[in-house]
């Protein structure tokens, strides 16, 4: 094969490999949700360390054992980290560093938010998002190594887990090349400031353990509150679609029955026919508008 033929063959093979790249975004990069927000100096320093030191290249990946994220059993056959997974981990680590709470070590980003911020989210033909690339990078590598810990809490109402609580560990700072002693000093100082505010409010100061417990409790409370609102919106949307499918006269009668459940007879009588008819008409058109909207966007 002469030089010209070899050059043409190499170029064709290079173009073919680019065409058949199996990931949507081969070069993920963390982009802050709010570009103009200036973080505290300690957070800026931690994020810069994660960005500059490339955590996926740390030698500990080749020497430290890994454990299953849920069963905590030792993983005998360690899965190799290819270039795409390494880039995903570097972007994710920078994102975690930018959103970690100095006192508790809790990351104030959900899996979906991390995936979106790093450009790792993919979508199917129906437009439904998929976060599996981020999930695998966190569970099969970062959590398996011990750089992060994830709390998984089951929700019996929906039959699924609430968004994981992600905590960073000491190993996290080893991977990003940030001195752990500096983090501990900043953690102690920040907790002292928070305790000062707590004392001014007339309460007893808290420990790190109590701060983490409160952070976990608040996370669970907000997650369940969000799910309750989502279920209520879904229920309302289904009701709106039923109203829209009815004949208008029948639909108005159904809305009237709903109002009877909400208001007492005396209140309905005080409204008068015109006011009651106005409310029914208003609700009818509002329900029709809601029925035509995409679920989850209203």
């Amino acid at each position: 094969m002469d030089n010209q033929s070899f050059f043409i063959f190499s170029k064709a093979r290079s173009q073919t490999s680019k065409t058949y790249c199996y990931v949507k975004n081969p070069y993920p990069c963390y982009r802050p949700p709010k570009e103009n927000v200036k973080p505290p100096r300690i957070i800026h320093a931690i994020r810069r360390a994660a960005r500059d030191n490339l955590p996926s290249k740390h030698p500990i990946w080749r020497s430290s054992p890994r454990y299953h994220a849920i069963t905590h059993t030792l993983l005998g056959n360690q899965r190799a980290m290819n270039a795409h997974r390494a880039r995903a981990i570097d972007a994710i680590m920078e994102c975690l560093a930018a959103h970690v709470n100095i006192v508790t070590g809790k990351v104030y980003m959900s899996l979906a938010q991390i995936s979106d911020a790093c450009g790792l989210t993919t979508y199917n033909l129906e437009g439904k998002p998929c976060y599996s690339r981020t999930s695998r990078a966190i569970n099969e590598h970062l959590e398996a190594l011990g750089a992060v810990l994830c709390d998984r809490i089951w929700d019996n109402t929906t039959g699924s887990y609430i968004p994981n609580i992600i905590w960073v560990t000491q190993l996290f700072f080893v991977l990003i090349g940030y001195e752990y002693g500096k983090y501990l000093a900043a953690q102690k100082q920040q907790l002292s400031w928070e305790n000062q505010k707590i004392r001014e409010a007339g309460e007893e100061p808290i420990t790190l353990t109590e701060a983490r417990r409160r952070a976990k409790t608040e996370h669970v409370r907000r997650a369940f509150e969000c799910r309750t609102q989502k279920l209520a919106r879904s229920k309302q949307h289904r009701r709106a679609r039923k109203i829209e499918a009815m004949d208008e006269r029948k639909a108005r009668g159904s809305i009237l029955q709903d109002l009877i459940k909400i208001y007492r007879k005396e209140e309905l009588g005080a409204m008068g026919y015109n006011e009651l008819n106005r409310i029914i008409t208003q609700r009818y058109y509002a329900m029709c508008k809601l029925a035509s909207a995409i679920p989850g966007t209203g």
Side-chain angles (χ1 to χ4, degrees):
M1 182 183 294
D2 56 15
N3 291 336
Q4 185 177 3
S5 299
F6 179 77
F7 173 76
I8 295 174
F9 174 75
S10 300
K11 184 177 181 181
R13 185 173 61 178
S14 176
Q15 290 176 346
T16 302
S17 62
K18 290 180 181 179
T19 303
Y20 290 99
C21 182
Y22 64 91
V23 295
K24 186 71 173 178
N25 181 6
Y27 297 99
C29 181
Y30 169 65
R31 292 282 182 259
K34 297 180 180 179
E35 295 282 355
N36 297 327
V37 176
K38 187 176 181 180
R41 283 187 297 176
I42 178 69
I43 294 296
H44 178 75
I46 294 174
R47 180 191 167 187
R48 184 175 58 189
R51 181 180 64 245
D52 296 344
N53 293 327
L54 298 178
S56 64
K57 305 299 182 184
H58 198 284
I60 200 171
W61 290 106
R62 297 186 295 272
S63 59
S64 182
R66 302 184 195 180
Y67 297 87
H68 193 276
I70 298 177
T71 63
H72 304 295
T73 56
L74 182 65
L75 297 176
N77 297 324
Q78 296 183 5
R79 183 173 180 176
M81 188 191 303
N82 58 32
H84 294 306
R85 185 62 56 84
R87 296 186 196 117
I89 285 176
D90 289 338
I92 290 171
M93 290 288 276
E94 183 182 351
C95 180
L96 299 182
H99 294 276
V100 67
N101 182 277
I102 297 300
V103 175
T104 63
K106 178 182 180 297
V107 177
Y108 280 83
M109 287 277 274
S110 66
L111 179 70
Q113 291 170 331
I114 294 171
S115 185
D116 290 341
C118 295
L120 296 169
T121 306
T122 57
Y123 298 88
N124 62 13
L125 295 177
E126 299 176 353
K128 185 177 181 180
C130 177
Y131 312 113
S132 59
R133 192 177 174 193
T134 304
S135 177
R136 288 195 299 268
I138 292 176
N139 296 337
E140 296 178 7
H141 292 276
L142 294 177
E143 189 176 11
L145 189 69
V148 301
L149 297 176
C150 297
D151 276 343
R152 296 170 173 85
I153 301 172
W154 182 259
D155 181 4
N156 289 323
T157 304
T158 59
S160 60
Y161 288 99
I162 69 171
N164 289 352
I165 309 176
I166 302 176
W167 313 86
V168 301
T169 67
Q170 182 175 352
L171 187 58
F172 174 86
F173 296 94
V174 173
L175 287 177
I176 66 174
Y178 188 82
E179 187 177 338
Y180 188 61
K182 291 183 179 180
Y183 166 75
L184 291 179
Q187 182 187 56
K188 184 178 180 180
Q189 184 182 45
Q190 184 67 32
L191 180 62
S192 176
W193 288 341
E194 292 188 7
N195 276 329
Q196 184 176 352
K197 295 179 182 178
I198 291 175
R199 289 191 187 94
E200 292 174 356
E203 300 178 12
E204 292 294 324
I206 62 174
T207 61
L208 282 174
T209 302
E210 176 62 16
R212 293 190 179 103
R213 188 196 67 79
R214 292 187 181 188
K216 182 175 181 177
T217 300
E218 179 63 15
H219 177 95
V220 174
R221 186 194 68 79
R222 291 175 63 89
F224 279 112
E225 185 180 78
C226 182
R227 289 201 167 189
T228 300
Q229 293 174 355
K230 186 176 180 180
L231 288 172
R233 288 195 298 268
S234 297
K235 183 178 180 180
Q236 190 177 21
H237 187 264
R238 290 195 300 269
R239 173 63 176 162
R241 293 187 64 181
K242 288 182 180 180
I243 291 293
E244 186 189 37
M246 295 179 184
D247 175 77
E248 182 175 351
R249 184 176 178 181
K250 186 177 179 180
R252 293 172 68 90
S254 181
I255 293 174
L256 176 60
Q257 293 301 317
D258 292 340
L259 293 176
I260 291 174
K261 296 176 183 179
I262 298 174
Y263 297 99
R264 298 193 303 271
K265 291 182 179 180
E266 296 79 6
E267 292 175 327
L268 290 173
M271 286 182 187
Y273 173 79
N274 291 334
E275 177 64 15
L276 182 60
N277 186 61
R278 186 191 67 79
I279 294 176
I280 292 174
T281 302
Q282 185 182 42
R283 287 176 68 91
Y284 173 72
Y285 286 112
M287 295 289 265
C288 290
K289 183 178 180 181
L290 177 62
S292 62
I294 300 174
T297 59

